[in-house]
Amino acid sequence: MTERIVGARLGYEDSETLSRFLATGGDQGLRRAVLEMRPEEVADEVTTANLLGRGGAGFEAGRKWSMLRKAPRRYLVINGDESEPATFKDHLLVERDPHQLVEGATIAAYAIGASLVVIYLRGEFALGLERVQQAINEAYARNALGRSIFGSSFSVDILLQPGAGAYICGEETSLIESLEGKRGFPRIKPPYFPAVIGLYGEPTIVNNVETVSNLPWIVQHGGAAFKALGEGRSTGTRLFALSGQVQRPGPYEVEMTKITFRDLIYGKEYGQGLHPDRSLIAFIPGGVSAPWFFPENLDIPLGQDEVAKAGSMLGSGSVIVMDDTSCPVRSAWRIARFFARESCGQCTPCREGGAWIDKILRRIEEGEGREADLDLLLDLCDNISPGIKWPPAQTTICVLGPSIPPSVSAAVNHFRDDFLVHIKEGRCPHA
Amino acid sequence: MPDELVSLTFDEHPFQAQKGTKLIDALDAAGIHVPRFCYHPRMSAVGMCRMCLVEVKGPRGVSLQPSCYIDVADGMEVFTESAAVKKAQHGVLEFLLANHPLDCPVCDKGGECPLQDQAFAHGSGETRFVEEKRHYAKPIPISRLIKLDRERCIQCDRCTRFADEIAGEPLIDFAGRGGALRIATFSNVDFDSYFSGNVAQICPVGALTTTPYRFKARPWDLVQSASTCMECDLGCQVSLQSSQNELTRMLGIDSDAINHSWLCDRGRFTTSAVNNLELRVARPRLRDQSRSAEVSWSKALRAAALSIKRTIDERGASAVAIVSGTSLSLETTYAWAKLASDVIRTNAVDGAADLRTDASLLLENPASINQALSASKLVLVNVDPKNELPVMHLRLRAAIRAGLSVIELNTTPTELTPIVDHAIALEPSRLGQAVDEVIAAIGDQVDDVVIVAGSRDRGFGAALNTRVLKDLLERLPGAKVLNGTPHGANAVAVGFTPNAPQVIRSSGGVTPSVSADAIVAGALRGDFGTLIVLDSELTRLGMSEADLEVLGERVTVIALSTFESATTHSAAIVLPLCAFGEEQGSTVNVEWRHLRLGRQVEPLGQARSGWMIAAELASMLGDELGFLTLADVMRDLNQSGGLLAGLGYEYFAESLDGPLFPLSRREEPCAPRILDPMATPGIASVDRQGANFAAGRVVEPTVATGFALDPGKSPQALVSAERGTGDVVRDPDPLAEDEFWLSLVPRLYDVSPSLSANPFLAAWVRDPVLKLSPLQGEQLGLMDGDRCRLIGAATVELGVELTKAFDLSVRSDSRVLVVDGLTPATLSLLENQSWIKVRVEKINGE
Amino acid sequence: MARFSDDMLSRAKELVSLYPDPRSATIPLCHLAQEQDGYVSDEAMAHIAELVGSSAAEVQGTASFYDMLKLEPVGRYVIGVCTNIACMLRGAYEVLEDAEKVLGIPVGGTTEDGLFTLEEVECIAHCDHAPAAQVNYRYFGPLDDESFRSLIARLRDGELDDEVPPHGTLIRVRREAPPAIPMTEIDRERAGDQE
Ligand SMILES: Cc1cc2nc3c(=O)[nH]c(=O)nc-3n(C[C@H](O)[C@H](O)[C@H](O)COP(=O)(O)O)c2cc1C
Ligand code: SF4
Ligand code: FES
């Protein structure tokens, strides 16, 4: 078992309670930060740790903080909108360790001098919302929040904002719009990133739940200790969400780069392999926006750059396993349908292209396909994301649009024969 | 550094552009047209349609960028013709067409549709989309004027941006998400806006259409000419279009000086009134006892001349009175001014009934609209732009958003009140204090102040308006003034009102000295033998219908009119006037800019231009005005040495606004107009909709003088016209406990002949109301929807409306009661006095 | 249905006061309206518009963007069966078909007794319990024919009343904190550390 950081308390039945939190090192990071360190020192530790954002883009948290525009007002927004299909690590963290999240958010607020913190949680996480609100209430009660935290000169409030069911609001600028009471239309960047113009036009840092949940540990143990785990740019540990056709789906915290996908899927302490008699045909390494991997990619280590080098991404840290009883046409369709349903609708290529691809794939799946559809699918993908390459180019405002092609092109290119059976014989070879 | 230039390349050719320019605008300027749908130069960019993608070389290589959204930068390399750009544009176009219905043949937009143009120019001709298209109920009326066809919508955000950002009335917004993203009003609440027609004009497809124009014409059958809207004196530039001798629609032209392409609905839809033949005056009529009969022009004119002559002979020339309260063309106004002063020689004339201020103050140091909007401080005095000069309201909102600092001085809050820097209450007991507050609010930024001076509140007479404006100008000697009264600019420009400085027109005739209010009052007393009403409704000038009957017994009323009205029904002699769009000519607007009027259709029946009628009457009276053609009128004005010295039609280049007067003192850089009412979304549509004015009938230049005035003709110092302002300002007696000052303010849709004749706008006319803040309501024991009796010079029954916005803007100790809406009844509360004291009584149910 | 009741109105105003910009309270207020009426009614949207200073069309524009906000009445229990990839791979569509049979309604429908509305939803982040479903956003899984039937039965019998409140009630824990620190005070404090 590797080192546990964000998931350290998950072994306890009562991990969400204040008593368990306090009995297992809770508050120590925050106390240390606000009572013994200057904000820059906290930020320096995070930079030293090389903590990569856990929300999907994998941007260094310390570097992001350093890009915050200098202004008297600045906001910290914690992104807990987790809706990327098959991703459930933040869900676990907010339900099972809400105090750690609140502590981490407060540390981040201290480091960047935030005027206000908003934790934006996915609306469907009803239990998580209740638990985080409880944790916030308890933090106020013991002066871990509010005025003069733990007697220091630092004061800050945390608000809990429920989402209301829209995947796109996980995208940080869409989330900010949503937080301003609007529909979640992502903003165009460049020129303005949230760190320059964010919530209410003020500089804003958006960090993922898991990202800030690492902060209590980093402050307590030092950035160097975090960096000592993992390798290269991939430091520390990460919570991977393993799902699909494995024996033991679940969340697994692993030290970055130290195990491979094969270990994660087949390892005894992890997924424990596929059903007997079935074989792996493909897996998706980082959420449904990521290009698919195939059996030949199993030995790639779980590291950001390692996966990028192989043409995909670790993204949101979810690994979806497909075996030979599943139909790749259907999988590609279901993913395309997800994006078609979740497009915010402002960009023509995403709104119209997504819906069109959804319809074609569904038609093929239902046995009504034409051979010309395969080239058409690839060409439509190309019109959404020119070149269908990785990392993707885009004709859209945000990267939801360019997230449509990877699954479609992977399926069409890699499982062309399956498509042709659907088209010519009107049946599914996997049924 | 607004003038800083950057160097960049477009398709490997070097170009320079001003820093801060949008790439798409810089490309336009370089003659490179990038297709677009969502971008509109007068609204903020949203980069949503993705049609305008071009390749831009950046530090991380070449990438596709929306040219509407990014600014030019030094060293930028832009590619608009590369394979990647063409592929992306082709792709976006195909996506837009995927769910778009194939109903071009029955779509109003067909033939002038940028999407159609793009499809022809770049589409592959055959569709790869074999799936079922999206379906919506259609068309949905989102107001009486606008219909929505959701299937045609391409989600460009233009209409919604207009409503929110330009009009400040977010009544139409997106609903839903993704493929279901659609335009919606709130649970079918009307898109009830003065400005709704603009959304149809800027919709790049046929999703939003105007009810009056639906299925009326095909774009290729339309002929058009440039003209100026005459519903108010702002002077919005329009493309006036007709088909088969019927006006079909009016579209706004993007004049940088005036309307930025916007129009209000009242202006846009006037064509529907013009086309309502039933309520038009088509032939001359004479009334004999109680019966009225159509007669020939010569008979009618003879009767008119006879009446005038008899009055002059029996009671003197001053017993002939002439009034007008609307906007007549400049030529007509001038011809009547000359007739009145040189032929009839009466001083009882007022062609600017609504203007209640000393107009010399407006002319001494005049500001243009753009100067007003870029002033260091703008002071609004007794003016409600939204209801009086609607498009000015839009321009002001935009300017305020861009940082213009506004101080508002009004008796009654306006819709700008919540967004101005200072709103100062104008009340009789604190006039001096109010002026002090304005001066304090201006602080030391006195250098570049502009005052917009209006005559909005009818409870506020000429003397009061003049005094306030004068006080302000004394304290702010450098301030420029912009006229804020919606009608009468032409009358002021030619001296056809007692409020205007007398030397503007140097004909040496009789100077007007009896105001419209005095004429109306005098006529009722029988002081006049003949009353000539120029395209106006006497009930709008303070007479009741009962008054009209009495009037007929004492005075011969000659009504020149486009539309039927209470006045034409009771007048002894009725002469049909050309409607808007039926005559050539010109006009000046509030900033004294000379603008053209286009003729698109033949006059109805026997209607004639007002200036011709004046010329004929003159000859019947044994004199000559010397006007056989419009050019004759122009020549006279050109040589007048007055405000309009140097006037001529030759300034009307297709792509430029007319000049500001007085010519010698009003220099401005010429900004070309964007002639495309769609604001350039297509390629072919630019030509087709770009108002190809050659197709319309354009006024030919006939007088050939240069732009510059010759020094000998420079205008003389303007002499103040105190005598026009009748009443004197006294300090008001204090109010009794239960008394209030009456504030009577106009609305855009107050009843008028042209509105009553407009089948699409008539329903917008609402009963006047007593408007109270909730606090006032509480104090008076009146609730929303109650009825009350208001007792002033007369007693009037009114509904009560509580307005939340008033709570924020009305002083809590305010002693002013606001009546919203001018009708004969509400005007009777005033009886031509300033500051009427009123009492209010609740009317108990039944 | 209705505007906010007095009790709800005071909660609404409290929420509005938390934010530097009242419009930010739009979504929380929509949830509140839904807690009151089970859905977000037109009257509620108009009321919310007044409270946050938007137009009703804007509130409708926001509310209609989000899946959880229902602009039409729904059943007491809104059952969302996830069919996204992870659940699909483990039999979600079979569960959904069963659900239609068990409840006797198609996806999108509401049972005649007004008790259940059935939805097909995107991933609910319960993939380690796939195939999963949510009932008023309380999560269940892994499900099969049998466990789904028993879930419905238990809901009908009120056995899950503690766990699953009626549709619209999202967060049963109220904020307990001192009044929000005024932004002006924070501004003053932060101005100090900007050198
Ligand atoms: C379509 C889309 C959906 C996203 N969803 C999430 C999400 O659910 N949770 C999240 O933390 N980040 C999500 N992101 C990434 C965020 O935009 C942002 O990068 C992240 O919250 C930053 O936090 P981090 O730096 O701590 O990773 C999404 C991005 C896109 C484009
Ligand atoms: S790419 Fe799609 S989701 Fe992203 S902004 Fe454009 S339409 Fe919205
Ligand atoms: S995205 Fe530029 S014009 Fe629409």
Side-chain angles (χ1 to χ4, degrees):
Chain A
M1 192 73 8
T2 54
E3 183 76 30
R4 285 237 169 145
I5 299 180
V6 288
R9 274 182 207 99
L10 298 183
Y12 297 100
E13 276 292 306
D14 59 351
S15 61
E16 77 277 9
T17 61
L18 180 62
S19 53
R20 175 62 63 197
F21 173 70
L22 292 176
T24 49
D27 277 350
Q28 287 179 19
L30 177 59
R31 275 183 196 280
R32 173 134 200 251
V34 298
L35 297 175
E36 295 167 25
M37 297 168 82
R38 283 180 292 115
E40 313 82 78
E41 289 171 341
V42 176
D44 285 347
E45 289 302 327
V46 174
T47 307
T48 306
N50 200 50
L51 173 64
L52 300 183
R54 303 303 199 226
F59 198 82
E60 295 88 339
R63 214 171 112 211
K64 192 190 269 189
W65 292 0
S66 72
M67 286 157 60
L68 196 63
R69 177 166 59 92
K70 293 268 171 288
R73 276 255 179 118
R74 41 224 131 118
Y75 294 105
L76 173 65
V77 175
I78 306 302
N79 187 344
D81 194 52
E82 186 176 67
S83 318
E84 178 80 20
T87 308
F88 49 88
K89 60 181 184 86
D90 295 343
H91 182 207
L92 190 75
L93 289 174
V94 299
E95 271 186 14
R96 302 289 309 285
D97 203 346
H99 294 283
Q100 175 176 261
L101 166 64
V102 172
E103 183 185 0
T106 315
I107 293 172
Y110 178 69
I112 65 167
S115 313
L116 179 70
V117 183
V118 184
I119 299 180
Y120 185 107
L121 279 198
R122 183 171 176 182
E124 288 91 336
F125 292 168
L127 182 60
L129 283 160
E130 292 181 345
R131 291 203 169 150
V132 173
Q133 187 61 65
Q134 186 68 34
I136 290 174
N137 292 352
E138 287 166 352
Y140 276 108
R142 65 177 194 281
N143 194 213
L145 257 185
R147 283 201 167 83
S148 304
I149 292 172
F150 294 141
S152 70
S153 63
F154 181 65
S155 310
V156 80
D157 277 321
I158 295 188
L159 300 182
L160 176 64
Q161 179 90 348
Y167 163 70
I168 190 60
C169 291
E171 195 279 338
E172 57 190 5
T173 59
S174 167
L175 185 148
I176 287 171
E177 289 279 305
S178 175
L179 196 45
E180 291 181 358
K182 306 175 196 155
R183 74 178 72 80
F185 275 2
R187 299 175 179 172
I188 305 187
K189 318 132 275 205
Y192 302 117
F193 292 90
V196 182
I197 293 185
L199 184 62
Y200 312 132
E202 304 291 348
T204 302
I205 290 293
V206 182
N207 271 144
N208 169 260
V209 162
E210 186 187 346
T211 311
V212 295
S213 292
N214 277 296
L215 298 179
W217 193 96
I218 290 175
V219 170
Q220 250 177 295
H221 299 84
F226 192 84
K227 193 183 159 77
L229 299 169
E231 225 174 85
R233 288 208 318 130
S234 305
T235 59
T237 64
R238 245 192 112 157
L239 260 181
F240 284 92
L242 181 63
S243 69
Q245 287 152 326
V246 286
Q247 296 275 22
R248 209 167 66 118
Y252 299 104
E253 181 169 5
V254 303
E255 187 179 344
M256 300 279 279
T257 71
K258 290 300 155 70
I259 67 165
T260 63
F261 286 101
R262 185 185 301 281
D263 298 333
L264 182 69
I265 294 170
Y266 293 95
K268 238 174 93 65
E269 65 271 52
Y270 305 115
Q272 297 181 353
L274 277 55
H275 263 272
D277 318 330
R278 297 195 196 163
S279 59
L280 182 87
I281 60 165
F283 63 100
I284 314 180
V288 298
S289 310
W292 294 8
F293 272 169
F294 304 98
E296 61 266 32
N297 305 105
L298 273 172
D299 295 315
I300 296 170
L302 297 175
Q304 179 142 318
D305 294 341
E306 290 77 357
V307 173
K309 222 169 66 203
S312 189
M313 66 165 178
L314 269 191
S316 60
S318 73
V319 178
I320 305 158
V321 176
M322 297 177 226
D323 69 22
D324 55 359
T325 64
S326 66
C327 168
V329 179
R330 199 165 190 222
S331 294
W333 161 66
R334 190 59 188 80
I335 291 170
R337 190 191 133 169
F338 165 77
F339 286 118
R341 275 190 63 175
E342 297 296 343
S343 163
C344 80
Q346 59 174 336
C347 313
T348 307
C350 174
R351 178 185 69 243
E352 304 294 338
W356 190 353
I357 289 170
D358 167 18
K359 283 180 173 163
I360 297 172
L361 283 170
R362 180 177 199 134
R363 200 159 40 71
I364 296 175
E365 223 267 312
E366 288 172 353
E368 305 284 320
R370 310 164 305 171
E371 251 185 279
D373 286 335
L374 299 185
D375 286 345
L376 176 58
L377 280 171
L378 293 177
D379 193 48
L380 296 181
C381 286
D382 187 69
N383 286 342
I384 297 171
S385 180
I388 322 182
K389 52 186 195 224
W390 196 262
Q394 63 195 73
T395 55
T396 51
I397 291 174
C398 85
V399 297
L400 188 148
S403 300
I404 304 171
S407 296
V408 181
S409 62
V412 171
N413 288 330
H414 216 269
F415 298 101
R416 208 176 178 92
D417 292 343
D418 294 84
F419 275 85
L420 289 174
V421 173
H422 278 87
I423 289 168
K424 291 187 178 148
E425 300 171 28
R427 67 177 182 93
C428 175
H430 301 276
Chain B
M1 310 339 64
D3 294 335
E4 211 175 299
L5 287 179
V6 297
S7 302
L8 64 176
T9 66
F10 296 155
D11 299 322
E12 285 164 1
H13 299 291
F15 279 96
Q16 288 204 317
Q18 209 132 87
K19 205 173 168 182
T21 313
K22 292 250 174 305
L23 178 55
I24 202 166
D25 291 335
L27 286 164
D28 277 346
I32 300 171
H33 181 83
V34 178
R36 69 203 73 175
F37 291 108
C38 66
Y39 180 63
H40 188 289
R42 296 296 182 187
M43 301 194 288
S44 60
V46 286
M48 276 175 61
C49 75
R50 315 308 286 174
M51 192 67 208
C52 69
L53 295 174
V54 295
E55 278 194 309
V56 177
K57 195 165 175 181
R60 285 202 237 126
V62 178
S63 64
L64 289 165
Q65 301 281 344
S67 57
C68 72
Y69 202 85
I70 56 175
D71 287 352
V72 293
D74 209 32
M76 197 179 233
E77 291 176 54
V78 182
F79 306 91
T80 68
E81 295 285 338
S82 64
V85 169
K86 291 291 143 196
K87 174 106 203 302
Q89 291 177 353
H90 189 281
V92 171
L93 185 64
E94 183 182 36
F95 285 140
L96 282 174
L97 292 169
N99 275 296
H100 194 81
L102 298 167
D103 63 350
C104 303
V106 296
C107 175
D108 270 328
K109 202 78 180 180
E112 57 174 11
C113 175
L115 185 60
Q116 194 182 30
D117 293 341
Q118 285 292 322
F120 278 134
H122 301 288
S124 63
E126 74 190 59
T127 176
R128 298 195 289 177
F129 189 83
V130 298
E131 328 298 325
E132 197 180 340
K133 295 192 188 242
R134 265 197 299 268
H135 287 298
Y136 285 114
K138 60 194 254 174
I140 304 164
I142 55 170
S143 80
R144 270 173 285 227
L145 292 165
I146 306 292
K147 290 206 161 72
L148 165 64
D149 185 327
R150 289 201 171 118
E151 289 173 3
R152 294 179 187 152
C153 170
I154 58 167
Q155 288 83 12
C156 70
D157 197 24
R158 279 180 161 213
C159 57
T160 40
R161 249 180 304 160
F162 174 82
D164 179 20
E165 177 177 319
I166 306 295
E169 304 168 318
L171 301 171
I172 176 169
D173 199 357
F174 281 123
R177 183 177 84 203
L181 192 70
R182 60 198 179 273
I183 297 302
T185 51
F186 175 62
S187 82
N188 302 328
V189 168
D190 260 2
F191 179 39
D192 185 358
S193 163
Y194 285 175
F195 304 102
S196 69
N198 293 295
V199 301
Q201 172 166 334
I202 60 177
C203 177
V205 291
L208 291 165
T209 46
T210 67
T211 311
Y213 178 70
R214 267 176 86 80
F215 305 123
K216 269 216 114 159
R218 308 305 314 190
W220 49 86
D221 291 332
L222 295 175
V223 280
Q224 62 185 344
S225 61
S227 191
T228 303
C229 175
M230 292 289 276
E231 284 299 298
C232 78
D233 283 347
L234 192 66
C236 291
Q237 294 302 286
V238 301
S239 155
L240 183 61
Q241 307 186 335
S242 66
S243 165
Q244 301 180 349
N245 201 37
E246 182 175 323
L247 293 182
T248 46
R249 67 175 173 184
M250 223 155 96
L251 298 173
I253 284 176
D254 192 333
S255 151
D256 188 65
I258 306 171
N259 56 319
H260 285 190
S261 84
W262 315 127
L263 296 179
C264 73
D265 287 352
R266 173 143 190 183
R268 180 182 302 274
F269 298 110
T270 12
T271 50
S272 299
V274 174
N275 292 337
N276 186 359
L277 306 187
E278 301 203 341
L279 290 179
R280 288 283 305 275
V281 180
R283 283 181 181 68
R285 300 201 293 264
L286 291 183
R287 172 175 294 273
D288 189 11
Q289 311 300 340
S290 62
R291 299 193 47 226
S292 157
E294 291 186 349
V295 297
S296 69
W297 262 110
S298 56
K299 192 163 176 198
L301 284 171
R302 251 196 325 273
L306 193 69
S307 165
I308 295 168
K309 208 159 169 24
R310 190 182 296 145
T311 301
I312 298 173
D313 290 348
E314 290 173 5
R315 306 172 62 178
S318 315
V320 178
I322 308 175
V323 278
S324 180
T326 45
S327 301
L328 303 162
S329 76
L330 178 62
E331 290 81 353
T332 290
T333 310
Y334 181 64
W336 276 89
K338 197 169 176 187
L339 177 72
S341 88
D342 295 8
V343 178
I344 302 175
R345 301 191 68 80
T346 172
N347 62 339
V349 299
D350 193 346
D354 284 349
L355 182 97
R356 289 178 171 80
T357 198
D358 177 353
S360 58
L361 302 177
L362 306 178
L363 288 164
E364 239 157 53
N365 195 1
S368 68
I369 296 169
N370 277 346
Q371 280 169 339
L373 297 175
S374 58
S376 66
K377 294 275 178 188
L378 181 70
V379 189
L380 297 175
V381 182
N382 200 16
V383 61
D384 173 6
K386 186 168 180 189
N387 282 289
E388 300 187 292
L389 301 159
V391 170
M392 180 75 176
H393 174 77
L394 303 185
R395 298 261 344 246
L396 268 166
R397 275 184 40 85
I400 291 172
R401 261 191 313 133
L404 174 68
S405 167
V406 176
I407 300 156
E408 184 187 2
L409 188 58
N410 259 320
T411 48
T412 303
T414 64
E415 283 198 24
L416 288 174
T417 309
I419 58 170
V420 298
D421 280 355
H422 301 270
I424 296 167
L426 202 48
E427 284 184 31
S429 49
R430 53 192 303 279
L431 286 185
Q433 202 182 328
V435 171
D436 289 345
E437 285 174 23
V438 174
I439 301 298
I442 289 173
D444 45 12
Q445 280 174 291
V446 290
D447 268 352
D448 182 23
V449 176
V450 174
I451 300 170
V452 183
S455 339
R456 172 203 188 196
D457 193 331
R458 297 303 198 266
F460 213 78
L464 280 167
N465 282 322
T466 303
R467 164 156 161 213
V468 171
L469 183 54
K470 225 183 203 157
D471 283 0
L472 281 171
L473 286 171
E474 257 160 36
R475 311 267 297 265
L476 300 164
K480 287 187 156 68
V481 178
L482 176 65
N483 174 17
T485 299
H487 299 286
N490 284 320
V492 169
V494 303
F496 187 46
T497 164
N499 289 326
Q502 50 191 302
V503 296
I504 280 187
R505 192 172 42 80
S506 60
S507 65
V510 174
T511 307
S513 63
V514 185
S515 72
D517 291 342
I519 291 173
V520 168
L524 283 172
R525 286 194 305 265
D527 291 354
F528 301 108
T530 300
L531 172 64
I532 303 170
V533 186
L534 298 178
D535 210 24
S536 291
E537 164 68 313
L538 288 170
T539 60
R540 283 275 291 172
L541 302 178
M543 283 193 194
S544 66
E545 299 214 3
D547 288 342
L548 282 184
E549 276 177 30
V550 184
L551 181 71
E553 290 161 15
R554 301 180 182 162
V555 183
T556 306
V557 177
I558 305 174
L560 283 73
S561 193
T562 306
F563 297 103
E564 295 290 3
S565 66
T567 305
T568 59
H569 290 312
S570 67
I573 303 171
V574 180
L575 305 175
L577 271 183
C578 287
F580 176 74
E582 292 178 346
E583 60 177 340
Q584 287 184 348
S586 61
T587 183
V588 299
N589 72 347
V590 287
E591 54 181 349
W592 322 112
R593 187 187 292 280
H594 191 212
L595 300 161
R596 75 172 121 186
L597 294 174
R599 166 174 156 152
Q600 263 313 112
V601 291
E602 299 295 324
L604 172 74
Q606 298 184 0
R608 287 189 187 171
S609 292
W611 67 268
M612 287 183 192
I613 301 173
E616 297 200 33
L617 272 176
S619 62
M620 290 210 168
L621 290 168
D623 208 334
E624 286 306 329
L625 294 183
F627 300 157
L628 287 176
T629 64
L630 272 179
D632 296 334
V633 188
M634 269 299 104
R635 193 174 306 117
D636 233 34
L637 279 168
N638 178 291
Q639 285 153 9
S640 66
L643 176 77
L644 299 177
L647 195 74
Y649 296 127
E650 67 281 1
Y651 306 125
F652 295 150
E654 269 189 18
S655 54
L656 293 176
D657 300 307
L660 291 166
F661 284 85
L663 269 186
S664 58
R665 291 196 282 136
R666 310 284 298 278
E667 277 163 27
E668 60 167 0
C670 290
R673 309 194 289 194
I674 300 174
L675 290 178
D676 178 0
M678 286 295 309
T680 345
I683 296 177
S685 65
V686 175
D687 283 338
R688 215 166 306 145
Q689 305 167 8
N692 176 8
F693 292 107
R697 278 155 278 199
V698 182
V699 179
E700 294 301 326
T702 40
V703 188
T705 49
F707 242 96
L709 254 195
D710 92 53
K713 282 195 210 152
S714 73
Q716 303 151 40
L718 303 168
V719 178
S720 159
E722 277 287 346
R723 54 176 207 296
T725 57
D727 50 348
V728 271
V729 184
R730 276 176 281 105
D731 277 337
D733 300 332
L735 294 165
E737 179 101 29
D738 61 344
E739 283 178 334
F740 294 85
W741 302 112
L742 171 68
S743 165
L744 176 57
V745 293
R747 296 175 302 196
L748 183 63
Y749 294 127
D750 277 337
V751 62
S752 80
S754 71
L755 266 191
S756 308
N758 195 319
F760 296 98
L761 295 181
W764 251 266
V765 177
R766 286 170 196 154
D767 287 338
V769 288
L770 178 66
K771 246 185 171 172
L772 303 173
S773 73
L775 189 73
Q776 282 178 316
E778 212 169 285
Q779 287 161 357
L780 293 169
L782 291 169
M783 306 216 293
D784 205 45
D786 277 354
R787 289 196 66 78
C788 71
R789 198 171 287 121
L790 206 63
I791 304 147
T795 299
V796 172
E797 285 187 12
L798 291 169
V800 173
E801 186 182 305
L802 296 193
T803 307
K804 272 234 175 82
F806 271 30
D807 250 354
L808 302 172
S809 41
V810 174
R811 289 149 36 94
S812 58
D813 59 347
S814 169
R815 299 291 286 169
V816 175
L817 285 186
V818 179
V819 173
D820 201 31
L822 301 190
T823 62
T826 58
L827 283 164
S828 73
L829 285 165
L830 280 178
E831 213 174 53
N832 291 330
Q833 299 175 52
S834 285
W835 289 119
I836 279 286
K837 294 174 180 171
V838 289
R839 285 181 299 119
V840 62
E841 284 173 3
K842 179 172 174 165
I843 299 176
N844 291 324
E846 262 74 326
Chain C
M1 295 298 277
R3 291 162 65 89
F4 285 119
S5 64
D6 288 350
D7 172 42
M8 285 291 183
L9 185 59
S10 68
R11 277 175 71 188
K13 286 187 172 157
E14 206 178 295
L15 277 170
V16 170
S17 73
L18 287 176
Y19 298 90
D21 178 346
R23 229 185 131 167
S24 284
T26 305
I27 290 173
L29 293 195
C30 287
H31 280 304
L32 205 61
Q34 201 151 266
E35 178 168 341
Q36 176 178 292
D37 297 330
Y39 76 107
V40 190
S41 67
D42 278 357
E43 290 83 349
M45 283 193 276
H47 200 177
I48 291 168
E50 281 169 34
L51 291 168
V52 304
S54 305
S55 75
E58 287 172 314
V59 173
Q60 175 186 268
T62 296
S64 61
F65 187 86
Y66 298 94
D67 291 340
M68 288 175 74
L69 302 176
K70 310 295 181 196
L71 305 192
E72 304 281 338
V74 288
R76 179 182 170 90
Y77 298 113
V78 175
I79 300 175
V81 177
C82 171
T83 59
N84 204 302
I85 182 89
C87 287
M88 184 192 89
L89 290 170
R90 296 179 81 97
Y93 277 102
E94 289 71 23
V95 173
L96 186 65
E97 272 172 37
D98 279 342
E100 291 185 322
K101 264 188 243 138
V102 172
L103 295 170
I105 47 172
V107 168
T110 299
T111 54
E112 254 167 40
D113 56 7
L115 220 44
F116 299 105
T117 296
L118 180 64
E119 291 184 334
E120 176 186 359
V121 299
E122 298 299 341
C123 179
I124 57 174
H126 205 43
C127 323
D128 44 346
H129 296 78
Q134 59 189 10
V135 181
N136 296 349
Y137 312 107
R138 273 68 186 177
Y139 287 8
F140 298 89
L143 292 170
D144 55 21
D145 188 3
E146 204 173 305
S147 53
F148 185 80
R149 273 167 208 271
S150 107
L151 171 62
I152 297 298
R154 280 155 69 212
L155 285 166
R156 271 219 171 88
D157 296 347
E159 271 173 49
L160 293 175
D161 281 0
D162 283 347
E163 216 175 310
V164 185
H167 183 258
T169 299
L170 195 62
I171 315 174
R172 288 166 296 184
V173 179
R174 301 267 189 92
R175 181 180 168 87
E176 284 163 28
I181 309 171
M183 272 296 134
T184 46
E185 186 184 324
I186 294 278
D187 285 351
R188 233 176 298 124
E189 229 170 69
R190 299 294 187 268
D193 43 70
Q194 285 287 298
E195 92 258 46

